Amino acid sequence: MHREPDDHAASRRYTGQPAGQRTAQPTRAAAAAFVGTTIEWYDFYIYATASALIFGKLFFPGSDPFFATLASFGTFAVGFFARPFGGLVFGHLGDRIGRKKALVATLAIMGVGTVGIGFLPTYASAGTWAPVLLVLLRVAQGIAIGGEWGGAVLMASEHAPQGKRTFFASFAQLGSPAGLILSLLAFRAVASMDKDAFLDWGWRLPFLASALLLVVGLLIRAGVDESPEFSALKAQRRVAALPVAEVLRDAWRTVLLCLGANVIGVAGAWFVNTFMLNYTTQTLGLDRSLILDCLFVVAFIQLFTQLGSGWFAQRIGTGRFLKSAAGLAMLSPYPMFALVSTGRPVAIVVGIALAVMCMSSSYAVMAGFMSTAFPVRVRYSAISLSYQVCAALAGGLTPLIGAVLAHRYPGAWWPLAVFYSWLAGISLVCIGTLERRKRGAAHGVAEAA
């Protein structure tokens, strides 16, 4: 049976607290990571859903539907392009002053951005100011999620008991399907409204509901202590002065490989949950409520797949597990499109679930895999930079590229399937290379010892 190395056990023993309180912290940290990222992803997903369904009509009217869709997806992509900036800023703060303080700030920024969108005037009442304000608040969302992810992963993984880093880190990743479930519930509730009421004020309700979630998230995070690994580093006065500069100088190759390894987990999620929503309703002409219901069922499948993946990968080895998931992801879009094209609800769920299970397996385990690739002193900055640049490129552009391919090849799904396979292939190559580098580094340490 495989057990992952636990290189930082000594630093995790440093907490300055009674033993009973230390015992409860790993569970609290994992729960806080899950709840916090659920709230952040809820905010991000309701924007994604709205950009696929209604933002083109509300903020970019009077143009061809195809170009209105592109404009709407363009504002969606803006949030992704802001994510690396958030990763850099909060990665620096997390490596300098602490993971916990950075996470409280990101949650507050996300809440303000999301609730603000709920109060926005539309183009009909504010003209060009409406899309401008939409973009600005979308940037705030991007900055917040860019800083959130790395800190949530590290709070869970650096609090983890010995030998369970991958499993505990996966709880931060569970926020994505959980946030998706909440966002779909919210939009499913308002999508059944009268069309005029939905376009007038109903779409705002999911955004305004974020205010309540924000309060819940802040209260839960208040009960979690700072990461013991960071606390030990700070006590030893070994905190990096300029962590981002140190990463770019010493570990830029690893950053690029981690970026590539994340591609299918990041791009695949937005391909399935955002582009497919638009593709099925506009290209295939399927009912909006039907697709939302199908994605809702698939989101539960994703949630349980990710939970099981973190546990299973911990036992057989993360590298081996990730390569298998990426390889299967390369094959998954072909049955997905064939089944979705039938228009039958069960076939749609099965087809999308096949792709999502492969994609989300990689996504669940990648956090723990990356967290062991960098030293503690620069880890927040390094994993944030890797993941958020990937999100900007692969996540932000994927719905746009999908929309262009669907427009360029009307009635043909194979170009979309090939595009998805290409994304998974990038991850497979980078995961394999990272695993070889890790083995080489471990072998070098063993020989030196």
Side-chain angles (χ1 to χ4, degrees), residues 297-322:
V297 174
V298 172
F300 278 99
I301 295 173
Q302 179 180 348
L303 181 69
F304 290 109
T305 297
Q306 287 191 198
L307 187 61
S309 296
W311 175 83
F312 189 58
Q314 189 79 67
R315 299 181 68 84
I316 70 170
T318 55
R320 178 183 174 189
F321 182 90
L322 285 168

Side-chain angles (χ1 to χ4, degrees), residues 14 21 50 65 83 85 89 111 117 141 154 159 161 273 277 288 302 332 375 387 390 395 423:
Y14 176 89
Q21 198 169 347
R83 285 172 63 168
F85 178 73
V89 170
I117 291 172
Q141 280 193 323
L154 295 185
H159 271 287
N273 295 315
L277 182 58
R288 177 180 62 197
Q302 179 180 348
S332 66
Y387 182 80
C390 176
L423 295 172

Side-chain angles (χ1 to χ4, degrees), residues 109-120:
I109 293 171
M110 178 63 93
V112 169
T114 304
V115 174
I117 291 172
F119 284 111
L120 276 184

Side-chain angles (χ1 to χ4, degrees), residues 47 75 78-79 82 109 112-114 117 120 129-143:
Y47 190 100
T75 66
V78 163
I109 293 171
V112 169
T114 304
I117 291 172
L120 276 184
W129 275 109
V132 169
L133 291 172
L134 180 67
V135 168
L136 289 176
L137 291 174
R138 178 61 175 166
V139 168
Q141 280 193 323
I143 291 172

Side-chain angles (χ1 to χ4, degrees), residues 376-445:
V376 178
R377 58 187 276 114
V378 298
R379 188 177 286 156
Y380 199 144
S381 297
I383 68 170
S384 294
L385 185 63
S386 303
Y387 182 80
Q388 303 306 340
V389 172
C390 176
L393 298 176
L397 294 177
T398 291
L400 280 170
I401 295 172
V404 170
L405 287 173
H407 183 72
R408 175 68 178 81
Y409 300 97
W413 55 258
W414 66 264
L416 296 165
V418 170
F419 172 54
Y420 192 96
S421 294
W422 178 73
L423 295 172
I426 293 173
S427 289
L428 179 60
V429 171
C430 291
I431 290 166
T433 306
L434 267 173
E435 187 184 31
R436 288 193 297 272
R437 285 170 63 91
K438 278 188 172 185
R439 282 202 304 262
H443 182 68
V445 170

Side-chain angles (χ1 to χ4, degrees), residues 85-104:
F85 178 73
L88 288 172
V89 170
F90 288 101
H92 175 83
L93 294 175
D95 282 330
R96 288 284 298 158
I97 66 174
R99 282 67 159 127
K100 181 176 178 177
K101 293 178 181 177
L103 286 176
V104 171

